[in-house]
Amino acid sequence: MTIKGTVKRIFTEKESGFKILSLNVDDVRCVPLDKRNPDYPNCITVVGVMKGVEQDYVVEVTGEWEHRPSGNYWPWHWKATDYSVCEFETPRLIRKFLSELPSVGTELAARIIRLYPNANVIVEKYPEKLTVIMGIDKSKAFQIQKEFLQLKERRSLDSFLQKYGLKSEDISKISSHYGNNALALLRKNPYLLCMDGFASFKLCDKIGKDLGIAADAYCRLSCAMKVVLKSMAAAKGHTYLTEELLIEDSNEFFRENAVMECTFSKELLAERLRNLIAGGEIVYEEGRFYHPDRYQNEKDTADILLRRAGRPSRYENVDESIIDECLDLVQCEIGILLDSLQLEAVKSAIKNSTMVITGGPGSGKTTLLNTFIKTVEYMAQKIGMPKPSFSLAAPTGMASKRMAASTGKEARTIHKLFEIHYESLMNSTEIKQLETDIVILDEVSMLDIDVMAHIMRSLKDDTMLILVGDRDQIPSIGPGNVLSDIIESESIPVVRLVHSYRHGARKTILTNANKINNGDEELVTNRSDFVLYTVPDKGSDKDCKRLRAVTERVFCEEFLSSGKDLFKIQVLSPLRSKTQASVDELNIVLQKIANPKISENEEIKFGRAIFRKGDKVMQSCNDYDKGVFNGDIGIIKLVSAEKKILQVDFQGNLVEYSGHEIEQLKHAFATTVHKAQGQEFPIVIMVMTGFHSMMLLRNLFYTGVTRAKQRLIVIGDEEAVKYAIRNTKGNKRLSALCGRLRKGT
C-alpha cells in the first residue's frame, strides 16, 4: 500500500537517512478509522530510511501500519519500506526548485510562478513562453530549460540512489560519469555501477531486484563474470582464468554476493561467456579468459620490456677501460672491494637499458646500487656527457626511506613517482611520461601486473631501468608474479647475488633465511638474533590460546626493552582471522599491553576495533586522494569521538579520516606477513600456527624471517615450522607474462 502526502515536519533525522516525520496525507480515506489520530485526522507519523526527503516535499511512501505504544503519543505510525519524491506537486515546491537554477534565483522564480503556477510544464515543454517576463529573452529561456532538465535529472537520480545508501558525493560522481541520461541508463542496467566501481555487486543486485530485472539477465550475469575476472581473480593473484575456473568462481561469487538467485548451470554461464567474448567485454586467448584491461596490462608490459631489452643503453659505446677506471675510483671512495660477480653486475647495468638485480638480504644489492650510481656519475663527467638524473622508488614509504638512507639519493614511493591513481591502472591514456635518465626500483617482487604496466608506459624509450628485488619472497598482493616471471623468461639480463656479506647482529637470521630457501629444516636457534619458542599447536582452541599467551608475554618483554617504540617491534602471523593466534585476535590483546585505555583519552569504536590515540595502525587499501597506500603504517595522533575523526601520522604524512573512511584502517600491533612485505623492523615476533596448512609456505616463512633487522623470535609449533620449510607448492598463480616474454609477444 502507498500513501501520498506533504511533509509538514521532520522530528528525527539521522546520518543513516532514518527519519521520523509528520505527513499531511492527500486523501484521508487511505488512513483507516482505527489508525487516525482524532486530533489530527489528516496527519500521520511516518518512520523509515528516507534519504533526500525534506520539509514541504510531496512524497509517496510504501509501507505498512505499525503499532507502538509510546506514552502520550499516538501509537499508530506508517513504517516505510520504499518511497519516491514528487518534485512538482505545488507552486511552492516548483518555485523552490526554480530558485536553485543558476539563471533564475529567488526573485525571478517568484515572478515566473506568479504568471505560471504550473511553471514546470512551461519551462520543460514551452520555454519560449517565458520571454513575456521582463529580463528573459529567448536565449535565457532556453538556458533555463537546459538547467531545469539537468537539475530535474539530478534530483531524480538523487531520489533513486539515496534510498540505497549512496552518499551525495558519490551520486555527484555518478552523475558526471554517465551524464544527463544517468537515471535511464541505471534503470536499464544498475550493474553498471558495479562495473565502473561506484557500488558493490550486492547493492546493484538489490536495485536490480527492485527494478524487476531477471535473475538470469545478461547484464547481471555478465557483470558478475567481469567482476570475477577483474577483482576475484586478482585477489587470488591471477591475471586470467580458465573457463572451468571462471564458471566455478562466478557461481561462488553469486553465493557470496547475490541478493537474487545465485546458482546457474555451466551451460548458461558458458553461453553468457561466449556473448561477452563476441562483444569484446572479455578477451579470450589460447584457453585464457581476461578482463580487457588486465589483458592489455599484461601484453603491454611484455611488449615494452622486450622492446627495451633489444635497445642498448646510452653508455653502450663507453670504452671498457674508462668504466674500469671509474669503478676503481668508486671502490676506493666507499672503502669496499667488490667481487667479480658484483663488478660484472655494475658493468651489465651500465651497458643495458633494462636489467634485473635479485638476491636476498645481505647479498650486496645496496652496495651494488651505490657503486653503480657513483660510477655512472664519474663516467659521465669523464666522457663529457651531462650528469644523469636518477629516480629511485620502492612500493612502500618505509622501503623508500631505507633506499634514500642507503644511497644518499632522494627516493619516493612508486605511486608518488609515477603519479599512480586507480583510474590510471586500467587506462593507458591517464599516464604521464617520467622525465628522467635512470630509474631504479626496489622491492619489485611486490609489484603487480597493473602497477608494472603503468611504470612501463611511463618510461621514455631512452630511460635506463634497473629492477631490484628478492624473487624468493612472496609475490605481490595484486595479480601476477612480475619479478619471478621476468627472471624465468630469461629475456632480460639478470644478475643473481648469492653470497651473503652481512655479519654481526643479523648473521643467524640470514643463515636461517638461506636454510629455509634451500629446504633445510635444521635451523640455527636460540642465538641472540634468532630465538625459537616451541609451543605445540595442532589447531585446538586450547593450543591457540596457549600460543597467544606466549606471544603476549614475549611482546611485553620486547616492547619494554625497545623503549616502547612501536616502530621497533612487529608481530607477524600467517592468518588474518579464524584462530586465537590470528592477527585480528592478537591486535586486541596487544593493544591492551602497548596502548591501554586511559580515561581522559577519547576513542572511536568501528566494528570490533576500538581506535584510540597512540594506536599503531595500517592502511588496508590504496587511497590515491589521501596519498596513502596498502601496507603504510602510522600512529594515531588525534581522536575526536564527537566528530568521528581520526588523524594518523604516517611517518611525516598526517592524514585525516572521517566517518566511513575509518574502515580503511586496521590495527598493526600484529599484521600478516603479506602486509609486512617491503618493511623491515629491528625486532620481529613471528607466530607459526599449525592450524591452517595452506598458509604454511616456504616463501611466506622466508619473507617473515627477512623482515627482522636485529632480532627474530619465532613462536609456534615445531612441526608447523618444518612443514612450512618443506612446502613450496602454495597457490599457483595464473600468469602469461613469462610465456609472452619467451615467445616474443
Side-chain angles (χ1 to χ4, degrees), residues 349-366:
I350 292 171
K351 293 290 186 177
N352 290 284
S353 63
T354 304
M355 72 167 297
V356 176
I357 300 172
T358 184
S363 60
K365 296 191 297 292
T366 299

Side-chain angles (χ1 to χ4, degrees), residues 18-50:
F18 178 84
K19 291 180 172 67
I20 301 175
L21 54 85
S22 175
L23 189 73
N24 194 7
V25 299
D26 286 1
D27 188 354
V28 73
R29 292 173 298 178
C30 66
V31 184
L33 288 171
D34 61 332
K35 309 294 192 298
R36 293 181 195 175
N37 185 335
D39 296 327
Y40 308 98
N42 286 85
C43 280
I44 63 170
T45 301
V46 181
V47 303
V49 177
M50 294 171 283

Side-chain angles (χ1 to χ4, degrees), residues 509-527:
I509 295 172
L510 298 180
T511 297
N512 284 331
N514 288 326
K515 281 177 171 286
I516 293 166
N517 258 345
N518 294 326
D520 186 347
E521 299 174 21
E522 301 302 319
L523 302 181
V524 181
T525 60
N526 300 323
R527 303 292 176 87

Side-chain angles (χ1 to χ4, degrees), residues 479-490:
N481 201 3
V482 172
L483 180 62
S484 198
D485 281 352
I486 292 173
I487 293 171
E488 282 186 29
S489 74
E490 299 180 342

Side-chain angles (χ1 to χ4, degrees), residues 44 266 381 534 579 668 719 737 744:
I44 63 170
K266 290 183 178 180
Q381 185 180 9
T534 301
T579 83
E719 188 51 43
L737 179 61

Side-chain angles (χ1 to χ4, degrees), residues 122-337:
I122 300 298
V123 174
E124 189 169 351
K125 296 182 178 179
Y126 314 107
E128 62 275 6
K129 291 187 178 183
L130 296 175
T131 57
V132 300
I133 300 171
M134 187 179 295
I136 302 180
D137 57 17
K138 190 173 180 180
S139 174
K140 185 164 183 174
F142 283 99
Q143 179 64 27
I144 292 171
Q145 182 195 42
K146 181 182 177 182
E147 292 173 359
F148 178 89
L149 293 172
Q150 288 176 342
L151 185 57
K152 183 182 177 182
E153 172 73 14
R154 173 59 198 272
R155 285 290 186 82
S156 299
L157 186 67
D158 286 351
S159 179
F160 177 65
L161 293 178
Q162 281 180 341
K163 69 178 74 176
Y164 296 103
L166 286 165
K167 300 183 182 298
S168 295
E169 55 266 30
D170 296 326
I171 297 174
S172 292
K173 293 176 182 177
I174 291 167
S175 179
S176 297
H177 185 78
Y178 297 112
N180 293 335
N181 203 31
L183 184 57
L185 281 172
L186 296 179
R187 284 189 176 278
K188 185 178 179 180
N189 182 8
Y191 299 95
L192 290 170
L193 293 172
C194 176
M195 290 189 287
D196 293 327
F198 294 115
S200 67
F201 182 87
K202 184 171 284 187
L203 179 62
C204 294
D205 214 29
K206 186 176 188 320
I207 299 173
K209 185 180 181 181
D210 291 347
L211 292 172
I213 291 174
D216 62 349
Y218 176 82
C219 63
R220 182 172 184 256
L221 268 61
S222 62
C223 171
M225 297 178 85
K226 289 182 74 175
V227 171
V228 166
L229 279 174
K230 188 173 186 176
S231 302
M232 198 169 172
K236 296 179 180 181
H238 306 317
T239 62
Y240 69 87
L241 291 175
T242 62
E243 181 172 354
E244 183 182 359
L245 278 175
L246 178 53
I247 291 173
E248 181 185 313
D249 286 357
S250 294
N251 272 321
E252 181 187 339
F253 177 81
F254 276 120
R255 287 192 293 271
E256 294 179 355
N257 299 280
V259 174
M260 293 190 274
E261 182 185 346
C262 57
T263 303
F264 300 95
S265 68
K266 290 183 178 180
E267 292 75 20
L268 178 61
L269 292 178
E271 182 187 343
R272 290 288 183 267
L273 188 55
R274 288 193 294 272
N275 294 338
L276 284 166
I277 294 169
E281 295 181 73
I282 285 177
V283 176
Y284 175 77
E285 182 186 71
E286 299 178 4
R288 303 186 296 268
F289 294 84
Y290 289 88
H291 187 281
D293 294 335
R294 189 143 296 125
Y295 169 80
Q296 200 62 51
N297 285 346
E298 187 179 85
K299 191 173 185 305
D300 284 357
T301 299
D303 289 344
I304 297 171
L305 277 170
L306 287 169
R307 190 167 70 241
R308 294 183 62 82
R311 185 180 297 115
S313 84
R314 63 182 63 205
Y315 304 115
E316 167 69 16
N317 297 319
V318 176
D319 192 90
E320 191 84 13
S321 62
I322 294 176
I323 297 175
D324 288 337
E325 183 182 339
C326 292
L327 271 169
D328 290 341
L329 184 64
V330 172
Q331 289 180 92
C332 290
E333 183 180 315
I334 63 178
I336 295 176
L337 190 64

